């Protein structure tokens, strides 16, 4: 059974930084593409960033490019999201996800709240 557990969320002032972590278990981590998604109040969940399983290639939503960095540590079965220059619009529940290509996103964490105050 795949489990994804996020941590690192919290309250931060605009311009500040946070680092989210997602610890995975129950899967061969190195064979899964990992991703971060977020859902703001009253809005749909949207893609934030992904990192590929084979070469670690990252992709980002335009809204976070240049501010967020996704990385992974296969030895620790963990994926990270470093978030810098945070804005109030980044306030959301951030959720970790995993998929084994070519499958779709089918494994999700419970989410961690990030709140950015102005």
């Amino acid at each position: 059974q795949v489990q994804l557990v996020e941590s690192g969320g919290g309250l931060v002032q605009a311009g500040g930084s946070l680092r989210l972590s997602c610890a995975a278990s129950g899967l061969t981590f190195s064979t899964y593409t990992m991703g971060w998604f977020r859902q703001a109040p009253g809005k749909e969940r949207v893609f934030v960033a992904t990192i590929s399983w084979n070469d670690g290639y990252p992709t980002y939503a335009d809204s976070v490019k240049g501010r967020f960095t996704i990385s992974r540590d296969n030895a620790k079965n963990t994926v990270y999201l470093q978030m810098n220059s945070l804005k109030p619009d980044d306030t959301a529940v951030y959720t970790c996800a995993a998929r084994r290509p070519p499958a779709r996103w089918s494994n999700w964490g419970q989410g961690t709240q990030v709140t950015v105050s102005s």
Side-chain angles (χ1 to χ4, degrees):
Q1 181 180 355
V2 176
Q3 285 194 317
L4 304 173
V5 180
E6 302 95 336
S7 61
L11 173 64
V12 64
Q13 288 189 331
S17 298
L18 282 174
R19 188 194 195 201
L20 305 183
S21 300
C22 172
S25 60
L27 74 170
T28 304
F29 185 75
S30 60
T31 66
Y32 278 72
T33 288
M34 301 299 295
W36 287 97
F37 294 75
R38 68 185 182 187
Q39 185 169 19
K43 296 186 177 181
E44 293 186 350
R45 183 166 59 192
V46 297
F47 154 77
V48 175
T50 64
I51 186 165
S52 65
W53 66 274
N54 52 348
D55 58 4
Y57 186 81
T59 59
Y60 299 97
D62 287 344
S63 59
V64 306
K65 278 181 182 177
R67 300 188 297 123
F68 290 11
T69 301
I70 188 170
S71 62
R72 65 190 296 159
D73 186 336
N74 288 346
K76 296 182 178 180
N77 285 8
T78 301
V79 61
Y80 305 97
L81 186 67
Q82 177 67 44
M83 305 185 296
N84 299 329
S85 302
L86 283 162
K87 307 174 182 179
D89 283 350
D90 294 318
T91 294
V93 174
Y94 284 72
T95 303
C96 173
R99 72 181 188 95
R100 190 172 185 183
R104 302 171 67 87
W105 297 103
S106 58
N107 302 289
W108 300 87
Q110 82 288 351
T112 185
Q113 177 70 47
V114 171
T115 302
V116 184
S117 63
S118 57

